[in-house]
Amino acid sequence: MAEPEELMQQLRSKATELLLREEYKESINAYSHFITLCQDQLHKHHEKPDPNNVLKLQKSLCLALSNRAEARCRLREFGAALEDCDEALKIESTHFKTLLCKGKILMNLNRYSMALDCFRTAHLDPQVCNGGSESLNGYLERCKKMEFLSRTGAFDLSDWVLSRFHGKPPELAEYVGQVQIRRSEISGRGLFAAKNIDAGTLLFVSKAIAIERSILGGEELGENAQLNMWKNFIDEVTNLASKCPRTHDLLATLCSGEGENDLEIPDMSLFRSESESSCGISVEKLDRKRILSILDVNSLVENAVAATVLGKNSEYYGIGLWVLACFINHSCVPNARRLHVGDYVLVHASRDVKAGEEITFAYFDVLSPLGERKEMSRRWGFGCGCKRCEFEEGIFSRQEVREIEIGLERGMDTGGTVFRLEEGMRRWMVRGKEKGYLRASFWAAFSEAYGSEKSVKKWSRRIPPVDSVLDSIMEAVGSDERVLKILLDRMKKSGGSGGVVEMEKALKLGRGLYGKAMKKQAMKTLVDLVHEHAIN
Ligand SMILES: C[S@@+](CC[C@H](N)C(=O)[O-])C[C@H]1O[C@@H](n2cnc3c(N)ncnc32)[C@H](O)[C@@H]1O
């Protein structure tokens, strides 16, 4: 046997063995060596053609490229893996193994319809009849489902919720609904509703670029453990950005805390599932320092106050990056909430939103007074200038409001506090939504006063009915678990499940909290879980 051929034989066996042993890096090296030799041989044949040998070499090259793509795919080096697949398909356009691998890569990149094309072409291969069909059919079916979901946003979590999160979470896919990125009056860019949207409507579903999770030991996660998580998280994102051009370019669209108002408005197509691997704009290469700043400004904690994590217990803490969610600014009168399911975030309207209105999250607890919110937004690195903060600046500077705050700190009767505040609002001519703002700011007093039987009895003639208070808070700050809990407690105390009107109200709150991805029966189960304190 001629020497190069022998070497090639050895390299091929070694590369295959390493691939089977899941030693992907080493396998890639061996395949790369083999591929170079193969290409050299083919080049030589170009000058002195020997059709039989050329065919054999081309077959070997195609298979080697396909296997290297598989190894690269396992290491999540999707960009390079796709290039290998395309090279292999240039040699043999219907190569079964390559089409299967390319389909899997495209699914990982959320390019479902292109993945579907690959699986459909692979289906035409005669190999399908020789045992390859089972896994292919599995991928084909999964991909069809994901393509449909990403196009329609028809997610339904009902069965999983009804089984109280037993079993695997339902399959999700990335989806972008009626939203647009535009210049924001709040700060930099923001996400906006492209049409009128009612409470509970899904705005988008996004898969995390990366997530780092930990189980809480005791009450909290220790400082060291937190630092460690943070470091691992930055390492993972940096590594992914270096391997995947699309991830890199998506990260490059995010703000790093500087020059926010001069940042470009990215095209929405970049966030749709079928977008190209790279966004095509020339961006400066991100270094670790810049990635760190980007993560600092944009990462989200899964179990934050304005989020619900389904299917996990409360002993759990996770930090992650969901790109489209990074364009949502904060408001103390937010209109959107997020639901975490596996590695996906589902963002929905938490109350009715008008076309052109900015979509906003609560970055921190908005059921707290102005001073506390100011402190929390300072920690985030900005001063919030939303309309509620603007209105409350005037109100909180009043001597009477200061006295109420001090009274509360000193343990003043909460029913009395509510009474004083409601009286004050009448005198200061506070009307409509603004009443909801102030009630939300004094939530601690309102929840205690309306949550205690004794207090309700003592003050019921002098303070407004709980329903109108809860309605106004919900209208101001959207749905919140704590508001729902008070409503459910009242329904229970008034005997059983309460009236139809109250149940409808609870379900409406539920839709604002968890979105419409659940049928009525599943929403009832969720609402029950809230009452049993089993969520968050
Ligand atoms: C996740 S980004 C939001 C999108 C950002 N505006 C952009 O253009 O990329 C978070 C940053 O937006 C700004 N921001 C968000 N909400 C704000 C608010 N209510 N007031 C002032 N700045 C805000 C802050 O600079 C914050 O660090």
Side-chain angles (χ1 to χ4, degrees), residues 186-190 253-255 260 263 297-298 325-331 363 380-385:
I186 298 178
S187 180
R189 296 95 27 105
T253 64
L254 305 182
C255 85
E260 205 175 309
L263 293 174
V297 175
N298 295 284
C326 300
F327 290 91
I328 301 186
N329 282 314
H330 162 87
S331 167
Y363 286 10
W380 259 90
F382 62 84
C384 180

Side-chain angles (χ1 to χ4, degrees), residues 155-165 170 310 339 484 503 506-507 510-511 514-530 535:
F155 297 86
D156 188 355
L157 306 178
S158 305
D159 289 343
W160 187 52
V161 172
L162 280 167
S163 74
R164 299 200 164 206
F165 315 119
L310 290 186
L339 201 67
L484 179 59
M503 194 58 208
L507 291 177
R511 274 195 297 279
Y514 308 116
K516 287 183 188 164
M518 276 154 264
K519 296 195 181 101
K520 203 165 179 174
Q521 203 49 41
M523 190 63 81
K524 279 188 178 158
T525 304
L526 257 186
V527 164
D528 282 348
L529 284 170
V530 171
I535 284 193

Side-chain angles (χ1 to χ4, degrees), residues 393-412:
E393 280 291 347
I395 288 284
F396 273 80
S397 63
R398 284 177 181 271
Q399 184 61 23
E400 277 172 278
V401 178
R402 288 222 196 99
E403 280 168 16
I404 292 176
E405 279 193 292
I406 293 167
L408 263 178
E409 274 166 30
R410 293 188 181 154
M412 182 177 149

Side-chain angles (χ1 to χ4, degrees), residues 43-56:
H43 195 71
K44 276 185 198 153
H45 278 289
H46 203 63
E47 290 148 17
K48 229 166 65 189
D50 167 359
N52 274 345
N53 219 352
V54 167
L55 211 67
K56 226 171 96 191

Side-chain angles (χ1 to χ4, degrees), residues 47 112 176 215 235 245 358 363 408 449 486:
E47 290 148 17
Y112 312 115
V176 181
I215 301 289
D235 284 348
E358 180 160 358
Y363 286 10
L408 263 178
I486 296 236

Side-chain angles (χ1 to χ4, degrees), residues 199-200 336-337 348-351 479 507-515 523:
R337 283 184 67 96
H348 62 268
S350 60
R351 54 195 170 86
S479 284
L507 291 177
K508 188 175 170 212
L509 255 167
R511 274 195 297 279
L513 268 170
Y514 308 116
M523 190 63 81

